[in-house]
Amino acid sequence: MAKQLMIYDNIQPLSSDTHRNWSVQVEDYSFVSHLISAPVLATEIPFASGEFPIVFSATSNEGEYIPLAIMGLKDGENLMLNEKSQFVTRYIPAFIRRYPFVLGGDKANDTMALCIDADSKAIVQDGSKGRRLFEESGEQSSHLKEVVEFLKDYQYRAEMTKVFCKRLHELDLLEPMQANITFKGREDANMNLTGFFVVKREKLKALSDADALDLFKKDGLELIYSHIQSLSNLNHLISKKSEKLGITQ
């Protein structure tokens, strides 16, 4: 599985002086057309699992993982977008919904700043359409205030997600998994997906009563079972890929 690609091109701190007249209007999701996966927060798993396969990817830090919603099978091809670059799913991960905004800086020193992708197509610099970022006085608009709260909540839930994934690692519940996908009559398109991790039912059943109860009390079991059930959505992605290849089922 390919590493998560960035969707931000030119991140700049937001300023009422520099960006006073700017507004934002996201008309399509072409900025993720190249993504085959997107990070999801732990609290999103029950919602995202209804439409995406949810897997775990190891980071560069030993024992650290992030949950991913799989949106494609081939690098550069997001199968969850239609011809108008709109999502065909009912749920869109918060990682994507927060664009073109993001918190940047050093969270360890509590110096996070509100930033924006200055090169985003969603930006309207003359403010002629979309939602304004600032009032004429320079105060944050009501929309921008909502964005700030959303980003703060995202940051908080991201820390919760780290705790959840760390617990999965501590309990040795994650195992590498690979999927060999074949397309009848289009052997040239066959692929082998690797590099992701899933929770194995056998390991889950082998947990001690105390660990299982602790997971249950902290809603971890709900997230785990949602993840396991979501893996069947891989068949939906394969069907969508087959359609693109012109293969009749």
Side-chain angles (χ1 to χ4, degrees), residues 40-43 64-67 98 103 105-108 112 151-167:
V40 290
L41 302 168
T43 50
E64 184 178 88
Y65 299 83
I66 57 172
R98 67 179 180 168
L103 287 179
D106 187 357
K107 65 183 177 182
M112 302 293 283
L151 293 177
K152 286 180 179 178
D153 183 67
Y154 185 95
Q155 204 69 33
Y156 170 71
R157 294 176 187 271
E159 294 303 316
M160 292 172 57
T161 303
K162 286 185 179 180
V163 172
F164 169 65
C165 292
K166 181 180 178 181
R167 188 60 178 151

Side-chain angles (χ1 to χ4, degrees), residues 91-187:
Y91 190 81
I92 301 174
F95 174 84
I96 296 171
R97 283 186 280 124
R98 67 179 180 168
Y99 185 84
F101 302 98
V102 68
L103 287 179
D106 187 357
K107 65 183 177 182
N109 294 323
D110 197 28
T111 56
M112 302 293 283
L114 176 60
C115 299
I116 194 168
D117 182 356
D119 291 345
S120 171
K121 291 195 305 180
I123 291 174
V124 184
Q125 294 195 13
D126 63 4
S128 58
K129 63 178 181 178
R131 296 182 173 184
R132 290 287 297 259
L133 303 183
F134 296 96
E135 305 291 351
E136 294 296 336
S137 63
E139 294 293 317
Q140 291 184 350
S141 67
S142 58
H143 173 61
L144 192 56
K145 289 177 181 177
E146 291 175 359
V147 168
V148 171
E149 291 307 311
F150 178 81
L151 293 177
K152 286 180 179 178
D153 183 67
Y154 185 95
Q155 204 69 33
Y156 170 71
R157 294 176 187 271
E159 294 303 316
M160 292 172 57
T161 303
K162 286 185 179 180
V163 172
F164 169 65
C165 292
K166 181 180 178 181
R167 188 60 178 151
L168 295 182
H169 174 68
E170 290 172 347
L171 295 173
D172 192 30
L173 291 175
L174 294 171
E175 279 194 353
M177 179 182 171
Q178 66 177 22
N180 298 311
I181 302 173
T182 59
F183 298 97
K184 187 177 181 180
R186 284 297 306 271
E187 286 73 19

Side-chain angles (χ1 to χ4, degrees), residues 63-74:
E64 184 178 88
Y65 299 83
I66 57 172
L68 295 176
I70 304 304
M71 302 184 295
L73 302 174
K74 178 184 176 182

Side-chain angles (χ1 to χ4, degrees), residues 1-2 36-41 45 48-49 52-58 65-72 161 164-165 168 174-179 193-199 223-224 226-228 230-234 237:
M1 189 64 64
I36 64 171
S37 66
V40 290
L41 302 168
I45 292 176
S49 64
F52 305 95
I54 306 297
V55 299
F56 295 87
S57 176
Y65 299 83
I66 57 172
L68 295 176
I70 304 304
M71 302 184 295
T161 303
F164 169 65
C165 292
L168 295 182
L174 294 171
E175 279 194 353
M177 179 182 171
Q178 66 177 22
L193 300 182
T194 61
F196 58 91
F197 296 77
V198 297
V199 173
L223 303 183
I224 289 171
S226 292
H227 147 66
I228 292 174
S230 79
L231 298 178
S232 64
N233 291 324
L234 184 59
L237 282 175

